[in-house]
Amino acid sequence: MRDALPEERLIGAITRLILDPGKRPARHVAIGAASPIPAAASYLAREITGEVRVSVLNQRRGNPFTNGTGELFDLTAEGRIDLFFLGGGEIDGAGNLNLVGVGEWPGRVARFPGSFGSAFMYMMVPRVILYRFEHSRRVLVPRVAYISAPGTSPAGVFRRGHGEALVTGKAVFSFSPEQARFRLVSVHPGESAESVRAATGFDYDMAQPLAETADPVPEWLHLLRGPVAAAMAPTYPTFVQRIWPAAEMARSA
Amino acid sequence: MRILELDRLAAEIPAGAMVAIPPDNSATCAAFARALVRQGARGLRLVGVPVSGYATDLLIGAGCVAEVQSSAVTLDEAGLAPCFTRAVKAGQIRMLDATCPTMHAMLEAAGRGIPFIPIRGILGSDVLKHRPDWRVIDNPFQEGDPILLLPALAPDFAVFHAAAADRQGNVWVGRHHELASMAHAAKRTLVTVERIVEGNLIDDERMAPGVISGVYIEAVAVAERGAWPGGLLDEYPDDAVHFLEYARLARSEEGFRAYLARYVLRVTAAAAE
């Protein structure tokens, strides 16, 4: 079988996080306006366990939100979503996310699209995995210019969970809400402790020993290139054509 | 209920009106936005439900917009919304940032005729810090539980696109029930549709759950492929190539003028497509 592509490695790393036996089971994973990588990881988790429901906000065929786009937030408010993905224009070492901008409010120096549902979802979903492909000092900053969604909250503020990990194009970090601090857990092939440190604007702890991010096992690659690609194709056609062109051709044949 | 030509429908919107519109993937009123540009609309206060994209960016670029209230303005896969980004950085529009469920909740409150609505989360976000119209109170039913209250939001207009309307003004929106919530909240609702159908949509038990009653609908215009370049239900997918073309052209003032000339000003919406 063809070796894992970089995208497949990222997907596999996120799937391992979703299926982490030390965490509350992710029975219902929702996908917002996030990149297709978290969606693929969620579909892979579904294929592996047969027990993960994946609800994609922008799903083109059979969209699960039959009560409108606001239903995602109603489900979340009730505690019916276990795991969600967020990113940000800026992410800081305390897990704060900035999706608004930089400079005088509302973003006179740099303007990002906006907070989307982050200010709500980050606090109301028990498990959140942060995903941002760009790993640079521009994105991973010591302190965000603005907080779209806070990494932690003071005692007494209703909050179901926190970020539990940050996956980038270079590495995987875990997050401790008690310390409001990241820990570098693994670096992707071709990266090192030094290259990650050089590209990260915030301070963090290091796991000892530091692992290399593992490739997906062959069975996972098989699932990705078959049923996961097929499930993704209607909603993420560009991504599927780029990563799994053979699967896309088989589907449309 | 009145059935009007598209440009007559757009002429219902006066300068300075607050207009709620859907995002690009939710039956957006793209043809209507182009009609607003053609008639030189001014001072609009747009409301993204819960975010917004092409229509908002186009109207900002054409100088039709004074204020945007939204959780984001984005062209999704095609990247940042260029005219929006330029206008915010230059301070040319007033931006009222929100977060998605607050947009839904504020409209829900208006649709139920109540003055405010509580919502979880959001405490500690700078979005809240910049919304003096939002209030944190102690949960009156449980001590030591701070919770956010949002005021009801009743836009002057809700505008969206739909697959079909009947002559009683009933409009079929499929599973896009957020459009119903927009129509319930707004003082007036204008809709573009792919087609007018005979009979009564509400008589059909299978259609009725996806129908917004004509009670809420003031006027309708036929605009075939009216969501384009957005998609519509299972009728047509979004036009990713066109979104990329728009994003590329709108990156410069000159490119944006060329886009307007080619797709908006001198041609009817249908002919451009």
Side-chain angles (χ1 to χ4, degrees):
Chain A
M1 189 181 299
R2 182 159 52 87
D3 287 348
L5 300 166
E7 289 86 354
E8 290 173 326
R9 189 177 295 127
L10 284 172
I11 294 166
I14 296 173
T15 300
R16 279 194 191 86
L17 293 167
I18 296 172
L19 298 178
D20 184 343
K23 299 275 175 18
R24 147 204 179 112
R27 281 182 293 263
H28 190 179
V29 180
I31 306 290
S35 120
I37 299 272
S42 306
Y43 282 122
L44 178 56
R46 181 178 78 177
E47 293 301 323
I48 292 166
T49 67
E51 288 173 355
V52 177
R53 180 189 286 272
V54 181
S55 294
V56 177
L57 188 59
N58 296 336
Q59 190 170 318
R60 288 198 189 165
R61 202 176 299 155
N63 189 298
F65 299 104
T66 55
N67 198 30
T69 54
E71 190 176 10
L72 168 64
F73 308 105
D74 295 340
L75 285 166
T76 300
E78 289 182 276
R80 293 178 192 267
I81 305 280
D82 300 307
L83 192 152
F84 194 68
F85 298 91
L86 289 170
E90 290 184 331
I91 300 171
D92 72 22
N96 297 310
L97 311 180
N98 176 9
L99 292 80
V100 171
V102 176
E104 189 189 330
W105 185 275
R108 295 292 295 270
V109 173
R111 172 69 201 196
F112 310 139
S115 296
F116 291 93
S118 63
F120 178 82
M121 301 300 284
Y122 208 15
M123 300 170 72
M124 297 301 290
V125 176
R127 299 181 56 192
V128 173
I129 294 172
L130 304 176
Y131 171 73
R132 176 73 206 242
F133 185 81
E134 182 181 335
H135 187 138
S136 68
R137 288 177 169 265
R138 191 177 76 128
V139 172
L140 306 181
V141 297
R143 182 78 191 161
V144 293
Y146 292 109
I147 296 175
S148 284
T152 57
S153 302
V157 168
F158 187 95
R159 180 160 192 154
R160 288 209 181 92
H162 302 83
E164 59 184 45
L166 165 63
V167 178
T168 72
K170 291 183 187 294
V172 178
F173 297 84
S174 63
F175 182 74
S176 159
E178 293 77 22
Q179 297 171 294
R181 195 170 164 86
F182 287 102
R183 172 185 294 262
L184 180 62
V185 175
S186 72
V187 296
H188 304 341
E191 300 294 339
S192 65
E194 294 71 33
S195 71
V196 168
R197 184 72 74 181
T200 309
F202 58 69
D203 196 22
Y204 54 85
D205 299 325
M206 297 268 285
Q208 296 295 342
L210 184 62
E212 183 171 87
T213 308
D215 278 357
V217 296
E219 302 84 80
W220 287 18
L221 287 176
H222 191 71
L223 291 171
L224 281 174
R225 293 164 188 177
V228 171
M232 297 272 293
T235 308
Y236 303 98
T238 317
F239 179 80
V240 171
Q241 276 156 24
R242 186 166 62 81
I243 307 300
W244 300 301
E248 172 59 16
M249 278 161 60
R251 188 188 72 89
S252 49
Chain B
M1 202 280 295
R2 294 173 294 153
I3 299 178
L4 303 173
E5 293 296 317
L6 173 60
D7 284 295
R8 285 295 320 283
L9 190 74
E12 296 286 315
I13 307 269
M18 182 186 282
V19 185
I21 60 175
D24 294 332
N25 56 14
S26 181
T28 192
C29 51
F32 188 91
R34 289 187 288 269
L36 282 172
V37 171
R38 280 195 291 277
Q39 36 189 267
R42 285 291 173 268
L44 299 180
R45 293 177 295 152
L46 298 180
V47 176
V49 185
V51 303
S52 185
Y54 167 86
T56 290
D57 201 64
L58 184 81
L59 287 162
I60 292 171
C64 307
V65 178
E67 175 188 293
V68 175
Q69 176 168 194
S70 187
S71 307
V73 180
T74 172
L75 296 181
D76 295 317
E77 299 293 301
L80 295 174
C83 297
F84 164 75
T85 309
R86 255 197 315 273
V88 169
K89 286 164 81 170
Q92 286 165 346
I93 54 169
R94 177 163 183 251
M95 180 64 198
L96 275 170
D97 276 284
T99 186
C100 294
T102 63
M103 298 308 302
H104 292 296
M106 290 188 292
L107 294 170
E108 281 290 327
R112 292 182 201 164
I114 53 178
F116 58 84
I117 190 164
I119 188 167
R120 285 287 189 199
I122 307 163
L123 306 180
S125 168
D126 285 338
V127 171
L128 169 56
K129 234 184 250 173
H130 290 83
R131 292 296 305 241
D133 54 332
W134 295 0
R135 280 292 155 78
V136 179
I137 63 152
D138 279 322
N139 176 352
F141 298 95
Q142 188 185 318
E143 257 179 68
D145 179 27
I147 189 161
L148 176 59
L149 296 187
L150 307 168
L153 177 65
D156 298 319
F157 291 88
V159 182
F160 51 86
H161 186 66
D166 63 25
R167 292 185 189 281
Q168 292 75 49
N170 303 309
V171 171
W172 186 74
V173 297
R175 68 190 77 202
H176 283 302
H177 289 193
E178 69 279 3
L179 303 176
S181 146
M182 275 167 61
H184 298 173
K187 298 178 185 113
R188 302 169 65 186
T189 296
L190 311 178
V191 183
T192 57
V193 295
E194 293 291 318
R195 64 193 82 88
I196 304 281
V197 296
E198 298 309 321
N200 188 324
L201 288 164
I202 284 177
D203 287 344
D204 184 333
E205 205 57 67
R206 280 156 196 80
M207 298 292 277
V211 172
I212 302 176
S213 159
V215 162
Y216 300 100
I217 311 294
E218 178 173 320
V220 168
V222 173
E224 281 175 33
R225 296 182 64 79
W228 177 85
L232 180 66
L233 300 173
D234 57 356
E235 304 225 350
Y236 46 91
D238 64 340
D239 184 345
V241 173
H242 189 84
F243 276 117
L244 287 170
E245 183 185 2
Y246 174 77
R248 183 172 51 77
L249 287 172
R251 217 170 289 149
S252 71
E253 290 282 356
E254 192 187 4
F256 182 76
R257 296 294 144 201
Y259 181 89
L260 287 187
R262 178 156 177 213
Y263 292 107
V264 180
L265 294 178
R266 286 204 303 262
V267 285
T268 67
E273 292 144 30

